[in-house]
Amino acid sequence: MAYVKWFFILAFWGLVGGFLHYTLPQYDVVRIVNTYEERQQLGDWTRIFWSTPDQQSNALQDRDVQFIQAVRPNGKAIVYRNEDTGWNWPPYFKFDTANLYTEANDAISTKDKPEWVRIMHYGWRSELLSSFPNAVKIAPAAGPDDKPINWISISIIVILAAIFWAIFVRLRRFKRNRLDPVFESVEDGIFAAGDAIEESTQGVRRWFRRK
């Protein structure tokens, strides 16, 4: 039973960690090499990796999506999608897809004369699932090592950890003060009833022996 318990605990925290890693903002320092627009099919379960900025987008089977192609300082390629989030989840309230597309085109540079930028994004890049991180902001970078400290994600994680800890402490206190006495009372009652039954049984046996 202990293995089953730890399995569910690890599975729960794994889901929580994966959700936070996908949703919270991340920063990449890259060199933008190209931008393009491509029609994407949204009919299967991978729709969850695409934004739904309004109710109408939920009914679409395909739509044109803007993409930003970039190269990391280590030479590895990375592709971002450029979609509005609107008022939906995750709450980035992004409405400036066109402006971001223009900024990305303006920041295109070559390997000989690189122009490094910092892209704030959320999501994952998976070639197997055809998922792309969604670019939220683009800002100039002083160089390939000019990666900022992710204070937003750190602050959110600290706040969530404090909330979880407060809930855990209160639940443990409630269990100790309210539930444990009830369980102990029930347990004492069960033992007392068992002792009474055993004593009655012994009395009956003694009565039969006298007969």
Side-chain angles (χ1 to χ4, degrees):
M1 292 298 295
Y3 292 105
V4 176
K5 174 185 175 181
W6 279 108
F7 170 79
F8 282 106
I9 291 175
L10 293 176
F12 171 77
W13 286 112
L15 289 174
V16 172
F19 175 79
L20 292 176
H21 188 266
Y22 181 89
T23 306
L24 292 179
Q26 303 175 42
Y27 290 92
D28 292 338
V29 177
V30 298
R31 176 175 60 86
I32 298 176
V33 297
N34 189 31
T35 61
Y36 67 98
E37 190 170 319
E38 185 175 86
R39 182 159 290 268
Q40 296 293 318
Q41 298 293 326
L42 309 175
D44 57 10
W45 68 273
T46 57
R47 175 186 286 271
I48 61 175
F49 295 115
W50 302 96
S51 296
T52 54
D54 50 41
Q55 294 299 323
Q56 182 181 3
S57 62
N58 289 322
L60 296 176
Q61 295 300 314
D62 55 59
R63 67 166 177 257
D64 292 330
V65 180
Q66 297 173 353
F67 292 92
I68 301 172
Q69 293 177 309
V71 177
R72 300 180 186 272
N74 59 8
K76 293 185 178 180
I78 179 68
V79 181
Y80 304 90
R81 58 189 166 97
N82 180 28
E83 294 186 289
D84 284 340
T85 60
W87 300 99
N88 290 308
W89 190 267
Y92 284 91
F93 310 113
K94 179 186 173 187
F95 299 93
D96 60 344
T97 293
N99 291 344
L100 195 70
Y101 195 64
T102 303
E103 293 174 11
N105 278 285
D106 186 54
I108 292 176
S109 63
T110 63
K111 184 184 296 186
D112 297 331
K113 295 181 179 180
E115 180 180 342
W116 300 101
V117 296
R118 295 182 298 194
I119 295 184
M120 186 178 81
H121 66 87
Y122 72 90
W124 299 325
R125 175 68 178 109
S126 172
E127 297 178 2
L128 179 63
L129 302 177
S130 296
S131 65
F132 302 86
N134 190 13
V136 178
K137 290 182 180 179
I138 297 177
D145 299 323
D146 185 22
K147 190 173 183 178
I149 299 176
N150 196 345
W151 291 114
I152 298 176
S153 295
I154 293 174
S155 300
I156 292 175
I157 291 174
V158 170
I159 292 173
L160 290 177
I163 292 174
F164 275 115
W165 177 253
I167 294 174
F168 173 76
V169 169
R170 281 163 176 75
L171 288 176
R172 187 173 60 177
R173 187 179 304 163
F174 176 79
K175 177 179 178 295
R176 184 182 65 243
N177 297 336
R178 299 295 180 87
L179 298 181
D180 287 348
V182 174
F183 293 149
E184 290 175 0
S185 177
V186 172
E187 184 177 356
D188 292 341
I190 292 175
F191 284 130
D195 293 339
I197 293 173
E198 184 177 358
E199 185 176 348
S200 300
T201 303
Q202 291 177 354
V204 172
R205 289 175 180 173
R206 288 195 296 268
W207 184 81
F208 274 110
R209 288 187 186 131
R210 289 199 297 268
K211 295 295 185 179

